[in-house]
Amino acid sequence: MSYLLKVSQLKKYFPVKKYVFGLIPKKKGDIKAVDNVSFEIKPGECFGLVGETGSGKTTTARCIVLLEKPDSGKIEFEGQNILSMSRKDLKKVKRNIQMIFQDPYTSLNPRIPIGKSIGEPLELHTDMSSQEIRSEVVTMLKEVGLSPLHYYRYPAEFSGGQRQRISIARALILKPKLIVADEPVSSLDVSIKAKILNLMKLLQTKYNLSYLIISHEMSVIRFISHRIGVMYLGKIMEIADKRSLFENPMHPYTKGLISSIPLPDPERKMKTAPLKGTLPSPINPPSGCRFRTRCEYAKEICEKEVPQLIEVEDGHYVACHLLQCS
Amino acid sequence: MDEEEKEVLFDIRNLKVYYYTLDGVVKAVDDVSLKIYKGETLSLVGESGCGKSTLSLSLCRLVQRPGKIVGGEILYKGSEDILKYDEKQIQQFRGSKVAIVFQDPTSSLNPVFRIGDQIVEAITIHQALKGKEAWKKSYEALSLVKIPSPEDMAHSYPHQYSAGMRQRAMIALALSCNPDLVIADEPTSNLDVTIQAQILLLLKELKEKLGTSILLVTHDLGVTAQLADRVAVMYAGKIVEIGPVEDFYKKPLHPYSKALLGAIPPPHKDVDMLQEIKGEVSSLVNPPEGCRFHPRCEHAMDICTKKDPELIDVGNGRKVACFLYKEGVMK
């Protein structure tokens, strides 16, 4: 099967420095933000990455759009490794990968009318005339539920939901194949969130887009994704189809994460906290399985060996010693 | 549940809180009446800018300029109107009778004082305790919220705590003077889902143990379902529906409540599309004539554009402000 995006053995460490006498930098260690992460995204698929704060999901996304240079690993887009490409070739690939950021207030330039912001990628990547660009932007504005009258307005004149629509328009204008969205709805209100999520789902089928959606909200990920990867301290713990992940979670962390969601149903109340403790420091992560300090099933082997991501069922990958022994 | 039997802690009557801005008068809380009973958890639900935070802040008169409480009464334990308190009385009242747990513990704890210092400060102001006794009380408060080895942790600074621990410390601070009511303003929305579950269970346990009333201000309908006894939905400065939590989730009455419940992506089942609420939240400077929800409502009738619906009792302890319902009759 051909993949649109194939990430293999991706690593990104951030060095932490300590200053001796406040002057001489000395390396203290590394924050292992992304540690040997591999996954694939098929054409037309929505892949969701979910995990707690500090699990490395945003760093993974930033590596894929090359905002961050990975330390090692491969990122293959349509079979070509984008990390070893010449700048010229890279430009061609880049127009196929676009990003939507979390905060629509800081990701739009406040001094440029939004029509210009949306059209800018076309100026950079195509040789369209300004007339053509303008008409293209107007169609895109209509596509995301805004009016052509908004063309000359500035970001400050829009509400949070409308700004996120502008970000989506800007990401879509080049007709990319992959859109990377980092927490696209987490700063939005309930009713606006619903509208943006519906819009993203509609656009996906219309343009046959692939999405990489990052979120800490399980319910958002469940609504929009086809396949889901669960991250914990820089590692992927479980990858599966939406249905099998939610109905048959196998990793103890995924189970805990799913039962931590406060259900909007007063008759199904949580009795005990599913996961104890907090995320350990990513500078000195626990040896072996990184989840073992919070895992109630932790055994001796979990301390010694790092569990590998293996296929337990058809398309359901889990990194846990418990399942690999039995 | 019989409403008459329960002890009323706060009786808010026709409260009006306006913000006088350059754009005009923002009617953040407009003619709201609400009762908070002893020992209950009341959840105030609504989107940003509906006035839920303003309403909760006015319970301890913390609304700041350009905001002003312009009318109404807040009766504490049926007799005293806290809006008539002088500055000294209200300072006594804050902290000892009503305490607040804010959304962001990082910015609401003072970074240059130890956690213990901050709890001791509250204790010495409101209780006749000093020095060692006050510190002992602060250890008790910290162990109540399950902070491990409270004697050591009380001497740590906020930055040495994790986000979840900081929120626990905030709860300890709020509970240290045994208030009658704790206002929890979005207590878990900055936290990760696993930590959120821990804090929610802690709040539930403490409420049962201490019998404190909680006013939970949130936009998260999942958190509300888990924690609340009663739900009050606010829209554009007005309460549109109040009722017991089970009935509310089983059968929401007001069209806005229905729409809100349909708009959240359900975590426990798959759906194709989410229900959308058309339009945007109406401006509070120039709210629409009549029912404020009518431009977005699919059941809007002629009367909705002209008359403002009153909050009417439809039985079973439920109240709704909508012309689709008649007094005492539940459809």
Side-chain angles (χ1 to χ4, degrees):
Chain A
M1 189 184 292
S2 66
Y3 296 114
L4 182 71
L5 181 84
K6 187 165 192 257
V7 177
S8 35
Q9 309 292 322
L10 190 74
K11 260 188 202 175
K12 175 73 195 171
Y13 291 177
F14 294 102
V16 185
K17 282 176 196 150
K18 200 173 133 184
Y19 288 85
V20 184
F21 306 122
L23 286 169
I24 312 153
K26 196 183 157 194
K27 202 175 158 189
K28 202 177 147 194
D30 284 311
I31 292 181
K32 293 171 178 133
V34 179
D35 203 4
N36 274 339
V37 162
S38 308
F39 61 90
E40 300 92 19
I41 300 177
K42 291 171 211 151
E45 183 184 54
C46 177
F47 187 78
L49 263 186
V50 71
E52 289 174 88
T53 319
S55 59
K57 34 190 209 313
T58 298
T59 311
T60 312
R62 289 176 65 91
C63 285
I64 290 165
V65 290
L66 295 175
L67 282 171
E68 216 70 77
K69 199 178 176 307
D71 294 333
S72 68
K74 268 202 255 176
I75 300 172
E76 283 166 88
F77 188 81
E78 297 187 311
Q80 289 169 293
N81 187 0
I82 58 170
L83 296 175
S84 57
M85 261 183 195
S86 66
R87 281 184 76 156
K88 218 171 142 194
D89 291 336
L90 201 57
K91 201 178 169 190
K92 282 183 208 145
V93 174
K94 271 187 168 173
R95 63 172 294 176
N96 280 320
I97 310 176
Q98 294 293 320
M99 184 149 183
I100 300 169
F101 294 91
Q102 172 175 9
D103 186 1
Y105 288 83
T106 51
S107 57
L108 291 167
N109 188 333
R111 291 171 177 248
I112 296 179
I114 60 118
K116 283 253 184 266
S117 276
I118 297 173
E120 207 173 8
L122 288 175
E123 282 173 37
L124 291 170
H125 287 279
T126 63
D127 42 18
M128 284 183 177
S129 68
S130 53
Q131 206 102 55
E132 284 169 320
I133 291 179
R134 212 192 117 85
S135 75
E136 198 64 11
V137 171
V138 167
T139 6
M140 196 45 78
L141 278 174
K142 284 185 200 149
E143 194 75 359
V144 296
L146 294 167
S147 134
L149 295 171
H150 290 138
Y151 191 94
Y152 287 109
R153 296 218 187 144
Y154 289 87
E157 296 170 64
F158 294 94
S159 66
Q162 285 176 316
R163 284 186 216 201
Q164 206 56 303
R165 284 174 197 269
I166 298 165
S167 303
I168 292 173
R170 185 175 57 178
L172 267 180
I173 194 98
L174 285 167
K175 306 270 165 8
K177 289 177 180 155
L178 175 70
I179 287 191
V180 178
D182 185 3
E183 304 269 12
V185 293
S186 60
S187 58
L188 304 175
D189 247 331
V190 188
S191 67
I192 300 155
K193 194 183 267 184
K195 286 182 191 168
I196 297 291
L197 284 173
N198 280 346
L199 175 72
M200 287 181 72
K201 216 170 186 175
L202 277 176
L203 291 172
Q204 183 188 21
T205 36
K206 191 162 178 191
Y207 292 98
N208 194 29
L209 290 166
S210 293
Y211 281 135
L212 171 63
I213 306 267
I214 313 272
S215 182
H216 67 278
E217 278 173 90
M218 293 298 272
S219 49
V220 168
I221 289 284
R222 178 167 197 169
F223 172 71
I224 203 156
S225 321
H226 300 124
R227 266 187 335 126
I228 297 163
V230 181
M231 275 188 92
Y232 186 79
L233 271 184
K235 291 232 180 246
I236 289 195
M237 294 287 165
E238 186 164 359
I239 297 183
D241 283 344
K242 165 164 73 176
R243 178 159 293 171
S244 51
L245 189 93
F246 275 92
E247 279 162 20
N248 182 25
M250 293 193 190
H251 199 285
Y253 179 60
T254 317
K255 283 182 192 166
L257 211 53
I258 290 174
S259 39
S260 294
I261 313 168
L263 291 179
D265 182 354
E267 278 161 20
R268 289 162 74 183
K269 278 194 180 144
M270 225 183 291
K271 295 276 160 20
T272 50
L275 283 178
K276 309 258 171 334
T278 48
L279 210 70
S281 147
I283 301 178
N284 281 314
S287 64
C289 173
R290 295 192 171 181
F291 182 60
R292 70 174 165 84
T293 48
R294 295 172 79 185
C295 182
E296 50 179 320
Y297 309 104
K299 293 190 294 189
E300 230 174 88
I301 186 174
C302 306
E303 207 171 314
K304 287 173 195 147
E305 272 177 56
V306 181
Q308 297 301 313
L309 202 63
I310 56 157
E311 194 165 5
V312 181
E313 264 173 30
D314 193 26
H316 196 138
Y317 296 82
V318 187
C320 181
H321 287 303
L322 283 174
L323 294 156
Q324 288 162 13
C325 296
S326 55
Chain B
M1 279 199 279
D2 201 346
E3 282 206 20
E4 304 306 315
E5 279 172 26
K6 286 186 291 179
E7 194 184 330
V8 179
L9 194 63
F10 277 96
D11 190 357
I12 304 167
R13 290 185 188 165
N14 308 93
L15 185 72
K16 285 180 184 164
V17 187
Y18 294 172
Y19 287 89
Y20 294 90
T21 65
L22 290 177
D23 296 333
V25 182
V26 178
K27 294 173 181 169
V29 175
D30 199 11
D31 208 356
V32 164
S33 298
L34 182 70
K35 282 191 179 94
I36 301 173
Y37 298 101
K38 201 167 186 257
E40 76 162 351
T41 304
L42 175 68
S43 179
L44 211 51
V45 184
E47 295 177 82
S48 336
C50 71
K52 55 189 197 302
S53 285
T54 305
L55 176 58
S56 67
L57 285 178
S58 50
L59 278 178
C60 39
R61 277 192 23 205
L62 280 175
V63 180
Q64 281 176 339
R65 284 204 297 175
K68 209 179 159 195
I69 299 174
V70 289
E73 303 176 301
I74 301 177
L75 298 181
Y76 171 64
K77 286 197 171 161
S79 51
E80 296 165 77
D81 185 358
I82 65 160
L83 299 182
K84 294 207 177 85
Y85 278 178
D86 59 31
E87 206 47 40
K88 211 170 173 182
Q89 280 173 309
I90 196 76
Q91 270 186 15
Q92 268 302 317
F93 179 79
R94 289 179 197 140
S96 66
K97 302 285 189 281
V98 181
I100 306 191
V101 176
F102 290 100
Q103 175 176 6
D104 185 6
T106 321
S107 57
S108 42
L109 287 167
N110 192 331
V112 298
F113 287 106
R114 294 172 296 180
I115 296 282
D117 292 326
Q118 304 187 38
I119 300 178
V120 166
E121 186 191 4
I123 293 171
T124 42
I125 289 173
H126 291 295
Q127 297 176 14
L129 292 173
K130 274 201 181 83
K132 273 201 178 133
E133 276 175 78
W135 274 95
K136 221 179 126 199
K137 191 95 202 284
S138 82
Y139 301 150
E140 276 168 30
L142 286 175
S143 70
L144 193 68
V145 295
K146 292 182 185 148
I147 283 185
S149 55
E151 280 89 353
D152 301 329
M153 290 308 277
H155 297 275
S156 305
Y157 290 89
H159 75 268
Q160 292 167 306
Y161 279 52
S162 67
M165 295 269 278
R166 255 177 246 146
Q167 195 58 286
R168 279 170 197 267
M170 275 299 290
I171 296 170
L173 183 57
L175 290 174
S176 60
C177 295
N178 310 319
D180 293 323
L181 175 73
V182 172
I183 299 170
D185 193 351
E186 305 270 8
T188 58
S189 43
N190 270 351
L191 303 173
D192 268 319
V193 70
T194 59
I195 312 295
Q196 167 171 292
Q198 293 170 7
I199 298 287
L200 287 181
L201 285 162
L202 176 75
L203 281 172
K204 207 190 279 185
E205 201 188 307
L206 290 174
K207 191 198 87 179
E208 275 157 24
K209 203 153 135 192
L210 307 172
T212 318
S213 308
I214 299 177
L215 178 66
L216 179 73
V217 182
T218 183
H219 67 274
D220 191 328
L221 288 160
V223 170
T224 298
Q226 293 296 321
L227 207 61
D229 300 322
R230 284 199 306 147
V231 185
V233 183
M234 272 188 94
Y235 183 78
K238 293 228 177 239
I239 288 182
V240 295
E241 180 171 356
I242 312 181
V245 70
E246 287 88 7
D247 300 342
F248 174 78
Y249 281 87
K250 216 173 278 167
K251 194 171 172 259
L253 298 176
H254 198 278
Y256 178 62
S257 318
K258 284 180 196 164
L260 212 52
L261 278 168
I264 46 171
H268 50 304
K269 60 174 187 258
D270 293 320
V271 287
D272 264 350
M273 280 289 152
L274 299 169
Q275 283 173 38
E276 293 181 13
I277 312 177
K278 66 178 180 189
E280 300 223 346
V281 179
S282 61
S283 130
L284 289 170
V285 180
N286 275 318
E289 193 98 343
C291 172
R292 292 181 180 188
F293 187 60
H294 87 259
R296 305 177 75 187
C297 183
E298 33 183 69
H299 305 288
M301 301 173 287
D302 245 2
I303 188 168
C304 304
T305 57
K306 288 172 198 134
K307 259 180 83 180
D308 198 0
E310 302 226 339
L311 204 58
I312 52 164
D313 202 329
V314 289
N316 269 349
R318 306 187 73 175
K319 286 179 183 170
V320 61
C322 181
F323 289 115
L324 290 172
Y325 299 90
K326 285 198 185 75
E327 185 113 31
V329 193
M330 180 119 63
K331 272 196 287 189

